[in-house]
Amino acid sequence: MDNASTVESAISLLLLLIQLPATAILLSRLIKGPRRHPPIQPQQPTPELLGSVSVVVPTLNEALRISPLLVGLSKQSYEVREIIVVDSNSQDSTPDLVKAAQQKDPRFRLMTDDPLPSGWVGRPWALHSGFLHTCETSQWFLGMDADTQPHPGLVASLVKTAQTQGYDLVSLSPQFVLKYPGECWLQPALLMTLLYRFDPAGIESEQPERVMANGQCFLCRRSVLAAVGGYASAKSSFCDDVTLARYIAAQGFKVGFVDGAKVLKVRMYEGAMETWKEWGRSLDLKDASPSAQVWGDLWLLSAVQGLPLLIILSCLSLLPLLPLLPLLFLLGLNLFLLMIRFAMLLAIAHSYDRKSAKGGWLFWLSPLADPIAVLRIFLSAFHTPREWRGRKYTTGNEE
């Protein structure tokens, strides 16, 4: 064996040592899939749900995206007592749109949050302010984002799921609406970084630090939220939904995360660049995780999502050396990981609305974007956001 072969064998063995444990962890999560709670279906309310839910929506310059939410909330039935829109001094027509909705549905209420206190990030402050103004007789608090598009029956089905499963807090994974080629290619790869790190939606995590949540549709018992001080535990977090959910789980309450693709759509960002900038900066979840967990997740993502395609291409460029046993094992492992990746892409296809997308076929090529998606998580993990939704931060927790 010459020197080149020796080096290739050593590198192959090192990569196998990095990838094999990560592959085992990934498989241990994927085999839980058949036990997950099925996607929730739209349901009609029953009399005992009358006026049981207060909805709070934080807004800042959302005029271009909020209309589907306002229409969707107005179609929810008598289980919704009130819909409080907490606006942070929008400079566009967001308040006017909310006032117009209020003329048709008196459940809407517009309020402006107080100036941001030191140590708070804008979104959790707006949600906290809204929570403090909700009716105390409501049993449930429902936080929703301005970019969501709720179907009729969303709120009733969410509350009934929480009651049936005994959840104190439950949030949904939505169906994402795609429109442009770049996002069709990049966004599924970014979403996959979450699916690799956590159990499937519909599986209850036994460890509070591994709980997942989505603040776009976030239902919590009002008594529980009051007991933990509202959003105070997540006040400085750029992923306040996960931070708060994990804090609540650590207090012994039951937290769920289920598939809501049949009751909720989301149009998050316009194009690949905005997706890269805005969504990518919070996917590392560093504000909700200890540093050891962040580093562990970066290793896992690198091993099972970021490296396989690069390793396969490298192995194919070394065809004369493929008879080397370590290199053959390495190639086989990464072909296996690539097969898993395409299988997972098929499994999440229902989570994307590509009917009106230009270049929707690029969705099926999103595994090619995996190294870029993992790079985005690395960049985010080592960078504190300075701007969010048009708001500028002078420090990590000041706006």
Side-chain angles (χ1 to χ4, degrees):
M1 182 181 293
D2 58 25
N3 289 337
S5 298
T6 302
V7 171
E8 296 298 339
S9 295
I11 293 174
S12 299
L13 288 172
L14 177 60
L15 288 171
L16 285 169
L17 288 174
I18 292 172
Q19 288 188 291
L20 282 171
T23 301
I25 293 173
L26 174 63
L27 292 176
S28 72
R29 291 171 181 163
L30 295 181
I31 61 175
K32 299 177 183 178
R35 296 189 285 108
R36 66 184 183 274
H37 189 283
I40 67 173
Q41 304 284 341
Q43 296 187 51
Q44 294 301 313
T46 43
E48 72 275 7
L49 298 185
L50 177 65
S52 62
V53 181
S54 291
V55 181
V56 174
V57 181
T59 60
L60 175 62
N61 299 326
E62 303 286 1
L64 296 179
R65 69 178 85 213
I66 197 174
S67 292
L69 170 68
L70 299 178
V71 172
L73 286 177
S74 69
K75 291 182 179 179
Q76 305 303 308
S77 192
Y78 54 74
E79 72 280 8
V80 174
R81 174 191 298 271
E82 57 188 351
I83 305 163
I84 303 174
V85 178
V86 184
D87 189 68
S88 299
N89 295 294
S90 292
Q91 301 303 304
D92 62 7
S93 59
T94 299
D96 295 330
L97 291 172
V98 177
K99 292 175 183 177
Q102 187 177 21
Q103 296 298 315
K104 301 176 182 177
D105 188 338
R107 292 179 297 178
F108 283 98
R109 177 151 51 106
L110 176 66
M111 62 170 282
T112 301
D113 52 356
D114 294 330
L116 195 69
S118 176
W120 282 81
V121 170
R123 185 178 184 277
W125 171 244
L127 287 163
H128 184 77
S129 299
F131 165 67
L132 295 178
H133 285 81
T134 55
C135 180
E136 293 185 2
T137 56
S138 290
Q139 298 174 34
W140 298 93
F141 166 93
L142 175 59
M144 295 198 70
D145 279 359
D147 55 8
T148 57
Q149 304 173 17
H151 299 336
L154 162 71
V155 178
S157 63
L158 193 55
V159 173
K160 288 186 176 184
T161 297
Q163 292 177 333
T164 301
Q165 300 298 318
Y167 293 134
D168 298 296
L169 186 161
V170 62
S171 59
L172 299 181
S173 63
Q175 184 180 55
F176 298 95
V177 180
L178 300 178
K179 290 187 178 181
Y180 303 113
E183 65 190 79
C184 290
W185 182 67
L186 178 62
Q187 200 194 86
L190 288 170
L191 176 64
M192 200 63 66
T193 65
L194 292 174
L195 302 183
Y196 276 147
R197 284 179 281 167
F198 302 99
D199 290 335
I203 295 293
E204 294 174 23
S205 176
E206 298 177 356
Q207 303 171 293
E209 66 273 14
R210 304 306 301 183
V211 162
M212 262 304 294
N214 179 19
Q216 293 168 322
C217 186
F218 189 93
L219 182 78
C220 185
R221 293 186 189 275
R222 194 183 187 285
S223 59
V224 169
L225 198 54
V228 300
Y231 275 75
S233 62
K235 65 181 183 179
S236 61
S237 175
F238 284 94
C239 53
D240 56 90
D241 45 7
V242 180
T243 301
L244 179 59
R246 290 179 178 178
Y247 181 76
I248 288 175
Q251 308 310 305
F253 297 104
K254 189 174 181 180
V255 176
F257 181 61
V258 298
D259 188 341
K262 296 185 177 180
V263 294
L264 181 71
K265 289 186 178 183
V266 171
R267 174 67 185 148
M268 291 178 62
Y269 303 114
E270 298 296 322
M273 291 305 296
E274 191 176 350
T275 300
W276 167 275
K277 179 183 177 183
E278 298 291 351
W279 198 26
R281 75 177 70 201
S282 61
L283 285 175
D284 61 282
L285 303 181
K286 62 179 178 293
D287 291 346
S289 312
S291 58
Q293 184 175 325
V294 173
W295 279 104
D297 285 347
L298 291 175
W299 157 68
L300 181 78
L301 287 178
S302 299
V304 298
Q305 186 180 2
L307 287 176
L309 184 64
L310 301 177
I311 289 176
I312 290 170
L313 293 176
S314 297
C315 287
L316 293 179
S317 70
L318 298 172
L319 286 175
L321 297 176
L322 276 182
L324 292 173
L325 195 58
L327 202 59
L328 280 173
F329 272 124
L330 184 65
L331 178 59
L333 174 62
N334 284 278
L335 286 172
F336 175 64
L337 287 170
L338 191 60
M339 289 173 57
I340 289 177
R341 175 64 173 84
F342 276 101
M344 292 179 69
L345 186 65
L346 183 64
I348 67 166
H350 76 285
S351 296
Y352 283 93
D353 181 350
R354 309 183 305 278
K355 293 195 255 339
S356 60
K358 299 176 182 177
W361 57 273
L362 287 168
F363 170 83
W364 300 107
L365 296 182
S366 62
L368 300 180
D370 281 358
I372 299 173
V374 174
L375 172 63
R376 186 64 184 93
I377 305 303
F378 268 86
L379 294 175
S380 180
F382 298 104
H383 177 71
T384 300
R386 301 299 181 188
E387 184 178 344
W388 187 274
R389 289 290 196 186
R391 294 181 168 188
K392 295 187 182 298
Y393 289 71
T394 55
T395 65
N397 62 353
E398 189 176 299
E399 194 171 17

